[in-house]
mmCIF file of all heavy atoms in Angstrom:
data_model
loop_
_atom_site.group_PDB
_atom_site.id
_atom_site.type_symbol
_atom_site.label_atom_id
_atom_site.label_comp_id
_atom_site.label_asym_id
_atom_site.label_seq_id
_atom_site.Cartn_x
_atom_site.Cartn_y
_atom_site.Cartn_z
ATOM 1 N N ALA A 712 -51.140 -9.241 141.840
ATOM 2 C CA ALA A 712 -49.887 -8.857 142.500
ATOM 3 C C ALA A 712 -49.930 -9.128 144.002
ATOM 4 O O ALA A 712 -48.936 -8.906 144.690
ATOM 5 C CB ALA A 712 -49.603 -7.379 142.235
ATOM 6 N N GLY A 713 -51.088 -9.576 144.509
ATOM 7 C CA GLY A 713 -51.179 -9.875 145.931
ATOM 8 C C GLY A 713 -51.385 -8.648 146.797
ATOM 9 O O GLY A 713 -51.246 -8.697 148.013
ATOM 10 N N GLU A 714 -51.739 -7.511 146.152
ATOM 11 C CA GLU A 714 -51.996 -6.314 146.947
ATOM 12 C C GLU A 714 -53.272 -6.460 147.749
ATOM 13 O O GLU A 714 -53.453 -5.817 148.786
ATOM 14 C CB GLU A 714 -52.146 -5.089 146.038
ATOM 15 C CG GLU A 714 -50.841 -4.574 145.465
ATOM 16 C CD GLU A 714 -51.094 -3.493 144.424
ATOM 17 O OE1 GLU A 714 -51.985 -2.669 144.655
ATOM 18 O OE2 GLU A 714 -50.411 -3.510 143.393
ATOM 19 N N ILE A 715 -54.184 -7.271 147.248
ATOM 20 C CA ILE A 715 -55.476 -7.456 147.899
ATOM 21 C C ILE A 715 -55.975 -8.851 147.515
ATOM 22 O O ILE A 715 -55.728 -9.302 146.394
ATOM 23 C CB ILE A 715 -56.450 -6.324 147.475
ATOM 24 C CG1 ILE A 715 -57.733 -6.349 148.269
ATOM 25 C CG2 ILE A 715 -56.747 -6.374 145.975
ATOM 26 C CD1 ILE A 715 -58.148 -4.992 148.749
ATOM 27 N N PRO A 716 -56.662 -9.574 148.449
ATOM 28 C CA PRO A 716 -57.002 -10.972 148.150
ATOM 29 C C PRO A 716 -57.997 -11.171 147.000
ATOM 30 O O PRO A 716 -57.893 -12.144 146.265
ATOM 31 C CB PRO A 716 -57.600 -11.476 149.464
ATOM 32 C CG PRO A 716 -57.101 -10.551 150.510
ATOM 33 C CD PRO A 716 -56.927 -9.223 149.854
ATOM 34 N N GLY A 717 -58.988 -10.268 146.882
ATOM 35 C CA GLY A 717 -59.994 -10.514 145.849
ATOM 36 C C GLY A 717 -60.640 -9.243 145.353
ATOM 37 O O GLY A 717 -60.423 -8.160 145.898
ATOM 38 N N GLY A 718 -61.457 -9.380 144.292
ATOM 39 C CA GLY A 718 -62.143 -8.213 143.764
ATOM 40 C C GLY A 718 -63.340 -8.617 142.930
ATOM 41 O O GLY A 718 -63.375 -9.717 142.374
ATOM 42 N N VAL A 719 -64.334 -7.720 142.861
ATOM 43 C CA VAL A 719 -65.524 -7.991 142.055
ATOM 44 C C VAL A 719 -65.330 -7.359 140.690
ATOM 45 O O VAL A 719 -65.188 -6.141 140.578
ATOM 46 C CB VAL A 719 -66.787 -7.425 142.738
ATOM 47 C CG1 VAL A 719 -67.991 -7.586 141.819
ATOM 48 C CG2 VAL A 719 -67.037 -8.134 144.063
ATOM 49 N N ILE A 720 -65.303 -8.206 139.673
ATOM 50 C CA ILE A 720 -65.124 -7.717 138.305
ATOM 51 C C ILE A 720 -66.019 -8.543 137.375
ATOM 52 O O ILE A 720 -66.823 -9.362 137.840
ATOM 53 C CB ILE A 720 -63.650 -7.831 137.837
ATOM 54 C CG1 ILE A 720 -63.166 -9.287 137.870
ATOM 55 C CG2 ILE A 720 -62.743 -6.960 138.690
ATOM 56 C CD1 ILE A 720 -61.794 -9.499 137.263
ATOM 57 N N TYR A 721 -65.896 -8.355 136.092
ATOM 58 C CA TYR A 721 -66.559 -9.227 135.126
ATOM 59 C C TYR A 721 -65.578 -10.298 134.643
ATOM 60 O O TYR A 721 -64.355 -10.118 134.728
ATOM 61 C CB TYR A 721 -67.069 -8.412 133.943
ATOM 62 C CG TYR A 721 -68.348 -7.639 134.232
ATOM 63 C CD1 TYR A 721 -68.552 -6.392 133.675
ATOM 64 C CD2 TYR A 721 -69.346 -8.162 135.045
ATOM 65 C CE1 TYR A 721 -69.720 -5.680 133.916
ATOM 66 C CE2 TYR A 721 -70.508 -7.460 135.293
ATOM 67 C CZ TYR A 721 -70.703 -6.218 134.733
ATOM 68 O OH TYR A 721 -71.854 -5.519 134.968
ATOM 69 N N HIS A 722 -66.123 -11.367 134.123
ATOM 70 C CA HIS A 722 -65.313 -12.559 133.855
ATOM 71 C C HIS A 722 -64.209 -12.380 132.811
ATOM 72 O O HIS A 722 -63.150 -12.963 132.896
ATOM 73 C CB HIS A 722 -66.232 -13.704 133.394
ATOM 74 C CG HIS A 722 -66.744 -13.511 131.990
ATOM 75 N ND1 HIS A 722 -67.784 -12.649 131.702
ATOM 76 C CD2 HIS A 722 -66.340 -14.034 130.806
ATOM 77 C CE1 HIS A 722 -68.015 -12.662 130.386
ATOM 78 N NE2 HIS A 722 -67.154 -13.493 129.830
ATOM 79 N N TYR A 723 -64.466 -11.532 131.785
ATOM 80 C CA TYR A 723 -63.620 -11.614 130.595
ATOM 81 C C TYR A 723 -62.252 -10.964 130.744
ATOM 82 O O TYR A 723 -61.378 -11.171 129.924
ATOM 83 C CB TYR A 723 -64.336 -11.035 129.379
ATOM 84 C CG TYR A 723 -64.823 -9.634 129.595
ATOM 85 C CD1 TYR A 723 -63.972 -8.552 129.355
ATOM 86 C CD2 TYR A 723 -66.104 -9.388 130.072
ATOM 87 C CE1 TYR A 723 -64.411 -7.279 129.588
ATOM 88 C CE2 TYR A 723 -66.539 -8.109 130.309
ATOM 89 C CZ TYR A 723 -65.686 -7.057 130.069
ATOM 90 O OH TYR A 723 -66.111 -5.798 130.322
ATOM 91 N N TYR A 724 -62.082 -10.155 131.813
ATOM 92 C CA TYR A 724 -60.759 -9.556 131.998
ATOM 93 C C TYR A 724 -59.727 -10.667 132.184
ATOM 94 O O TYR A 724 -58.627 -10.611 131.667
ATOM 95 C CB TYR A 724 -60.766 -8.618 133.209
ATOM 96 C CG TYR A 724 -61.593 -7.394 132.958
ATOM 97 C CD1 TYR A 724 -62.944 -7.352 133.309
ATOM 98 C CD2 TYR A 724 -61.044 -6.292 132.317
ATOM 99 C CE1 TYR A 724 -63.707 -6.233 133.052
ATOM 100 C CE2 TYR A 724 -61.797 -5.171 132.048
ATOM 101 C CZ TYR A 724 -63.139 -5.154 132.414
ATOM 102 O OH TYR A 724 -63.902 -4.050 132.140
ATOM 103 N N TRP A 725 -60.140 -11.694 132.937
ATOM 104 C CA TRP A 725 -59.240 -12.811 133.209
ATOM 105 C C TRP A 725 -58.950 -13.594 131.927
ATOM 106 O O TRP A 725 -57.796 -13.863 131.607
ATOM 107 C CB TRP A 725 -59.886 -13.720 134.265
ATOM 108 C CG TRP A 725 -58.988 -14.817 134.751
ATOM 109 C CD1 TRP A 725 -58.052 -14.723 135.732
ATOM 110 C CD2 TRP A 725 -58.960 -16.160 134.269
ATOM 111 N NE1 TRP A 725 -57.430 -15.924 135.898
ATOM 112 C CE2 TRP A 725 -57.964 -16.836 135.013
ATOM 113 C CE3 TRP A 725 -59.652 -16.879 133.291
ATOM 114 C CZ2 TRP A 725 -57.656 -18.177 134.816
ATOM 115 C CZ3 TRP A 725 -59.356 -18.210 133.092
ATOM 116 C CH2 TRP A 725 -58.359 -18.851 133.852
ATOM 117 N N PHE A 726 -60.013 -13.900 131.176
ATOM 118 C CA PHE A 726 -59.807 -14.695 129.954
ATOM 119 C C PHE A 726 -58.971 -13.933 128.930
ATOM 120 O O PHE A 726 -58.118 -14.500 128.249
ATOM 121 C CB PHE A 726 -61.157 -15.100 129.349
ATOM 122 C CG PHE A 726 -61.888 -16.114 130.171
ATOM 123 C CD1 PHE A 726 -62.866 -15.741 131.069
ATOM 124 C CD2 PHE A 726 -61.557 -17.459 130.064
ATOM 125 C CE1 PHE A 726 -63.537 -16.671 131.838
ATOM 126 C CE2 PHE A 726 -62.222 -18.426 130.839
ATOM 127 C CZ PHE A 726 -63.213 -18.018 131.724
ATOM 128 N N GLY A 727 -59.213 -12.638 128.834
ATOM 129 C CA GLY A 727 -58.464 -11.813 127.886
ATOM 130 C C GLY A 727 -56.986 -11.800 128.226
ATOM 131 O O GLY A 727 -56.133 -11.957 127.350
ATOM 132 N N ASP A 728 -56.679 -11.647 129.523
ATOM 133 C CA ASP A 728 -55.284 -11.587 129.915
ATOM 134 C C ASP A 728 -54.617 -12.948 129.760
ATOM 135 O O ASP A 728 -53.456 -13.041 129.355
ATOM 136 C CB ASP A 728 -55.164 -11.100 131.361
ATOM 137 C CG ASP A 728 -53.741 -10.695 131.695
ATOM 138 O OD1 ASP A 728 -53.286 -9.686 131.132
ATOM 139 O OD2 ASP A 728 -53.086 -11.399 132.476
#
Side-chain angles (χ1 to χ4, degrees):
Chain A
E714 285 172 40
I715 188 135
V719 174
I720 60 173
Y721 283 144
H722 73 282
Y723 55 86
Y724 291 92
W725 187 84
F726 290 97
D728 194 68

